[in-house]
């Protein structure tokens, strides 16, 4: 997966604060789009590829919490960082429950802003990377492939319709793993997994 510099949508109605934050982010090579109200920001999110939303809680037309909810509803992967004054920390904490990644308090400090954005970008990158790798690990299918070794295992598999039975290991010699001769069901099940591990060439396998 090629890693690109995240595109950041910065929403703040205070021009001086917005410009200051934009310069900080641009100095770190981020692509920054500036907006001054929540409604315009939402329209931009719906029509463009935005990675990280940095927004003040208090905005004209649509506040930061509502913008957060609608942005997440439109693009679940977008990471949202809220900016709040000291008197609204409780509101910001509640917004995190709605899906915000984090919040930073005013006055904005350069190191804090860059650190929070960097962590949000890292989280998003890993999330996308995992999503892209998942089909490769499952062979492009959501069904799990189950290797069964005995009638007991086959019966277990039939209880999970999403599994696909593929290979029978019934002919694998139990004595190859020095399996116990006891008739205890728990030990028999351990023997099944031991034989499975032997067939796959693994050193250990814990049930």
């Amino acid at each position: 997966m090629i890693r690109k510099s995240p595109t950041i949508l910065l929403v703040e109605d205070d021009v001086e604060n917005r410009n200051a934050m934009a310069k900080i982010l641009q100095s770190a090579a981020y692509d920054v789009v500036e907006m001054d109200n929540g409604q315009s920001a939402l329209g931009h999110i719906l029509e463009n590829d935005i990675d990280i939303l940095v927004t003040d809680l208090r905005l004209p037309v649509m506040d930061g919490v509502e913008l957060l909810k609608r942005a997440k509803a439109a693009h679940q992967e977008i990471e949202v960082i809220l900016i709040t004054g000291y008197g609204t920390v409780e509101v910001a904490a509640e917004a995190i429950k709605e899906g915000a990644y984090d919040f930073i308090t005013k006055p904005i400090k350069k190191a804090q802003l860059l650190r929070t954005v960097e962590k949000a970008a890292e989280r998003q990158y890993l999330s996308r990377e995992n999503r892209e790798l998942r089909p490769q690990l499952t062979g492009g299918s959501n069904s799990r492939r189950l290797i069964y070794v005995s009638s007991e295992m086959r019966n277990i598999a039939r209880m999970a319709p999403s599994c696909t039975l593929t290979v029978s290991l019934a002919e694998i010699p139990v004595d190859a793993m020095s399996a116990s001769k006891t008739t205890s069901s728990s030990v028999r099940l351990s023997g099944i997994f031991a034989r499975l591990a032997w067939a796959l060439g693994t050193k250990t396998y814990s049930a």
Side-chain angles (χ1 to χ4, degrees), residues 4-106:
K4 69 180 184 69
S5 179
T7 299
I8 299 175
L9 176 57
L10 178 60
V11 191
E12 166 67 89
D13 67 333
D14 186 307
V15 178
E16 185 176 348
N17 284 341
R18 187 176 70 244
N19 289 343
M21 287 188 290
K23 288 180 180 179
I24 292 173
L25 294 170
Q26 288 168 345
S27 68
Y30 291 111
D31 181 16
V32 181
V33 178
E34 299 179 52
M35 295 278 175
D36 62 2
N37 70 81
Q39 187 65 53
S40 296
L42 179 60
H44 190 80
I45 289 171
L46 294 176
E47 296 179 359
N48 298 274
D49 183 17
I50 298 298
D51 300 301
I52 299 174
L53 170 64
V54 180
T55 178
D56 200 330
L57 272 174
R58 296 181 178 179
L59 294 170
V61 186
M62 180 188 299
D63 65 25
V65 175
E66 185 64 23
L67 177 58
L68 158 68
K69 293 178 180 179
R70 296 195 183 189
K72 278 290 188 179
H75 300 293
Q76 187 62 37
E77 285 190 351
I78 191 171
E79 296 294 351
V80 182
I81 299 171
L82 294 169
I83 304 169
T84 177
Y86 290 112
T88 54
V89 173
E90 293 81 4
V91 178
E94 183 65 26
I96 289 179
K97 296 179 181 179
E98 297 291 340
Y101 172 72
D102 203 350
F103 69 92
I104 52 181
T105 56
K106 297 179 180 180

Side-chain angles (χ1 to χ4, degrees), residues 144 151 159 176 196 204:
R144 293 168 292 172
S151 58
M159 297 173 64
L196 175 60
T204 59

